[in-house]
Amino acid sequence: MGTAAAPRRFCRCACFCSENLYVARYGLHVRFRSEQQLRQDYEPILRSRGCVSPKDFQQLLGELEQEVERRRRLGPESAARKALIASSYRPARPEVYNLLQEATLAPEFLAAAEYSASSGADLKGLLQRVETVSEEKRIYRLPVFTAPFCQALLEELEHFEQSDMPKGRPNTMNNYGVLLHELGLDEPLVTPLRERFLQPLMALLYPDCGGGWLDSHRAFVVKYAPGQDRELGCHYDNAELTLNVSLGKAFTGGALYFGDLFQVPSTLAKPLEVEHVVGQGLLHRGGQLHGARPLGTGERWNLVVWLRASAVRNRLCPMCCRKPDLVDDEGFGDGFTREEPATVDVCALT
């Protein structure tokens, strides 16, 4: 009698604790290894943005040291939160925890995914089934979820937000929102969405970015509201590809803006602005520089799924742009593995 294969072990790159630390007050991502390195690399630009006095610099130094320590503890603390939520939290809309059904997905999304998985499907045919927001920047849009499912998910997220459960926030740029794996929504919702529907789509849209070899993700919901987060600074995602779905509610402003890939100079000379449409998702490359304009009125909730392909990132970490220095991590980690997936022809990605 055969035995089940051991689950794959995912890792993070050691740079997670030293690279791309976001300093909101100065609108800057920094690399931080020591005070001397910080001064050498960033003192002129920090001064130009208001970090002038010794007190300003010491405050910044303390904040960065705290953030490094927070990142080191992140995996175990997230696992502990997930366990407590699983044992003690009572959902308001338990149906959103059911295994993903086609009835919760928009007909246009189902049609595009079904076509992508069919024999003879090609990019030209798929582009007739999705909206091309920008051919140059390879940004696409299509409905993802039905309106009733968006509403049910929003009600569940608000119920969780109002509970006394511990909450891990998405990242240092988003202070309001929910990590879906901690809430228990990875397995029933996001994993089947990635494996059954997004992978065939992404394989046609982004074959050069690992779209056909997606094997992990990081999914979270971000919230923008008056008195909370209202905008998002320019950044790129720790992902090969990104899905960003507008869940609601009623809002004005908050458009996304896109520059070029982060490796390209003069990246925001002519940014492309894209308005959110509730229920619809934007697809783009993770390395595409982007941000969010200030919210005008109302509340905006978005589901963001960072889609990762270990066959791509195992060779080059997108955050430090070096071969990853692997550290074991919880769950999907940051999508790195110590071995290549057995079914991937890595030569096809080079």
Side-chain angles (χ1 to χ4, degrees), residues 5-10 215 310-311 314 331 335-342:
R8 295 181 66 201
R9 184 68 185 264
F10 286 88
D215 53 4
S310 61
N314 283 354
F336 302 94
T337 58
R338 296 189 185 278
E339 303 84 22
E340 294 294 346

Side-chain angles (χ1 to χ4, degrees), residues 129-198:
R129 294 164 170 83
V130 303
E131 176 191 350
T132 299
V133 175
S134 170
E135 182 178 2
E136 176 193 2
K137 298 182 187 303
R138 300 172 69 187
I139 302 170
Y140 307 97
R141 174 159 51 196
L142 77 168
V144 177
F145 299 115
T146 63
F149 181 77
C150 288
Q151 180 63 31
L153 181 56
L154 270 179
E155 290 178 9
E156 177 58 29
L157 293 167
E158 288 188 301
H159 176 71
F160 176 72
E161 190 67 28
Q162 293 161 10
S163 75
D164 60 358
M165 289 289 103
K167 300 167 182 71
R169 298 310 184 184
N171 49 65
T172 53
M173 298 182 74
N174 295 105
N175 300 300
Y176 299 89
V178 179
L179 294 165
L180 292 196
H181 78 277
E182 291 188 4
L183 194 51
L185 284 170
D186 245 6
E187 295 82 357
L189 175 62
V190 187
T191 295
L193 183 70
R194 167 173 58 83
E195 293 179 343
R196 292 177 55 195
F197 302 103
L198 288 172

Side-chain angles (χ1 to χ4, degrees), residues 146-320:
T146 63
F149 181 77
C150 288
Q151 180 63 31
L153 181 56
L154 270 179
E155 290 178 9
E156 177 58 29
L157 293 167
E158 288 188 301
H159 176 71
F160 176 72
E161 190 67 28
Q162 293 161 10
S163 75
D164 60 358
M165 289 289 103
K167 300 167 182 71
R169 298 310 184 184
N171 49 65
T172 53
M173 298 182 74
N174 295 105
N175 300 300
Y176 299 89
V178 179
L179 294 165
L180 292 196
H181 78 277
E182 291 188 4
L183 194 51
L185 284 170
D186 245 6
E187 295 82 357
L189 175 62
V190 187
T191 295
L193 183 70
R194 167 173 58 83
E195 293 179 343
R196 292 177 55 195
F197 302 103
L198 288 172
Q199 178 137 337
L201 274 170
M202 296 304 203
L204 288 180
L205 292 173
Y206 305 102
D208 53 326
C209 304
W213 295 275
L214 304 174
D215 53 4
S216 74
H217 60 262
R218 176 178 172 83
F220 50 92
V221 171
V222 293
K223 177 190 176 187
Y224 297 87
Q228 300 181 3
D229 290 339
R230 296 195 62 178
E231 61 188 301
L232 185 64
C234 186
H235 65 286
Y236 60 93
D237 297 336
N238 185 1
E240 278 61 70
L241 301 164
T242 297
L243 168 67
N244 185 334
V245 184
S246 177
L247 299 175
K249 299 179 176 179
F251 57 87
T252 62
L256 289 180
Y257 62 88
F258 291 91
D260 295 320
L261 292 176
F262 75 90
Q263 301 97 332
V264 179
S266 304
T267 48
L268 286 177
K270 294 181 180 179
L272 169 73
E273 292 208 1
V274 183
E275 297 291 338
H276 290 284
V277 179
V278 174
Q280 298 200 11
L282 287 164
L283 305 172
H284 63 86
R285 292 170 292 180
Q288 199 86 44
L289 279 167
H290 60 285
R293 300 298 187 199
L295 186 74
T297 61
E299 291 183 10
R300 179 166 73 81
W301 295 69
N302 283 59
L303 167 63
V304 178
V305 185
W306 288 352
L307 298 159
R308 292 161 166 173
S310 61
V312 175
R313 60 183 36 231
N314 283 354
R315 297 196 303 281
L316 187 73
C317 171
M319 304 311 286
C320 65

